[in-house]
Amino acid sequence: MSKSRIEAFTDAVIAIVMTLLVLELPIPKDASWAALGEDGHKLAIYFISFIFLAIYWNNHHHLFQLVKRVDGVVLWANNLLILMMTLFPFTTAWVGEHPLAWPPQALFGMLILGTDVAYYLLVRALVRVNGKQSPIGQLFNHYPKLKWSIVLPVLALIAGALITPLAVLIVNVFVLLLWFIPEKKVEQTL
């Protein structure tokens, strides 16, 4: 099966999700900076969610540069990743409406965790079908960033439950920083 179909489908879905994300932003009540500032927290969570989606897209693109083969398991792992990303507009809007409340923050944290687990499963499926000696297999043989991107969202949920719901966003920003720059080893391999 050609990997280009998976890439094109994923690109299209992420573009749609990003578009839906911006449509959730409220239009200010009047034409003033003060009115725009009233929804500043909604803009902030929008930007955080947009950057998450952009990082997933960047790293997905880099990931597929390393693979030659995909199979049905890869398709389902990729669909799980897409499913998780399609939930960003809903959770972003809920956090935007209630930024200091535990349930929206918890759902946002679970979404980040679920998306990171889906990405991990996609990587494992790609390594399995392409082989441990393939470029993707060698890159992800020992790759602590994958594990940290699962551990940190779990810690974010714990901190959010025990300390403050805002801790979910704060800790997950560190996940953003981990993945902000795509893996240089991919570019060197290519």
Side-chain angles (χ1 to χ4, degrees), residues 41-190:
H41 61 285
K42 292 179 183 179
L43 284 170
I45 188 63
Y46 163 78
F47 283 119
I48 290 169
S49 291
F50 185 91
I51 292 168
F52 263 113
L53 289 167
I55 287 170
Y56 288 124
W57 181 83
N58 285 344
N59 285 285
H60 188 274
H61 174 72
H62 271 75
L63 188 66
F64 274 83
Q65 296 301 306
L66 294 175
V67 301
K68 301 280 186 225
R69 299 180 56 218
V70 296
D71 65 3
V73 175
V74 170
L75 290 175
W76 280 110
N78 196 72
N79 283 334
L80 178 60
L81 179 65
I82 288 170
L83 169 68
M84 300 311 295
M85 288 190 284
T86 62
L87 295 171
F88 268 87
F90 172 76
T91 55
T92 300
W94 201 24
V95 169
E97 286 296 321
H98 310 283
L100 301 176
W102 172 239
Q105 289 287 357
L107 186 62
F108 189 79
M110 287 185 271
L111 176 61
I112 298 298
L113 177 61
T115 309
D116 290 344
V117 167
Y119 187 84
Y120 176 84
L121 294 173
L122 177 60
V123 167
R124 290 292 147 225
L126 287 167
V127 169
R128 182 194 50 76
V129 76
N130 286 276
K132 291 184 180 180
Q133 298 309 313
S134 68
I136 193 167
Q138 290 177 3
L139 176 63
F140 289 104
N141 181 32
H142 176 68
Y143 201 70
K145 193 159 51 167
L146 273 178
K147 292 178 181 90
W148 278 110
S149 46
I150 292 172
V151 169
L152 286 175
V154 169
L155 293 176
L157 287 167
I158 293 168
L162 298 177
I163 302 169
T164 176
L166 210 49
V168 173
L169 275 179
I170 294 167
V171 174
N172 277 305
V173 165
F174 288 106
V175 176
L176 280 177
L177 297 175
L178 275 177
W179 289 94
F180 191 75
I181 298 175
E183 185 56 56
K184 294 289 185 191
K185 291 179 185 177
V186 172
E187 294 171 358
Q188 293 167 354
T189 300
L190 298 174

Side-chain angles (χ1 to χ4, degrees), residues 1 11 21-22 24 36 38 40 55 58 65 102 144 153 172 186:
M1 179 180 296
D11 289 351
L21 193 66
V22 75
E24 289 292 330
L36 182 63
E38 288 175 11
I55 287 170
N58 285 344
Q65 296 301 306
W102 172 239
N172 277 305
V186 172

Side-chain angles (χ1 to χ4, degrees), residues 19-33:
T19 302
L20 293 173
L21 193 66
V22 75
L23 292 175
E24 289 292 330
L25 287 176
I27 296 172
K29 294 175 185 153
D30 59 52
S32 70
W33 293 114

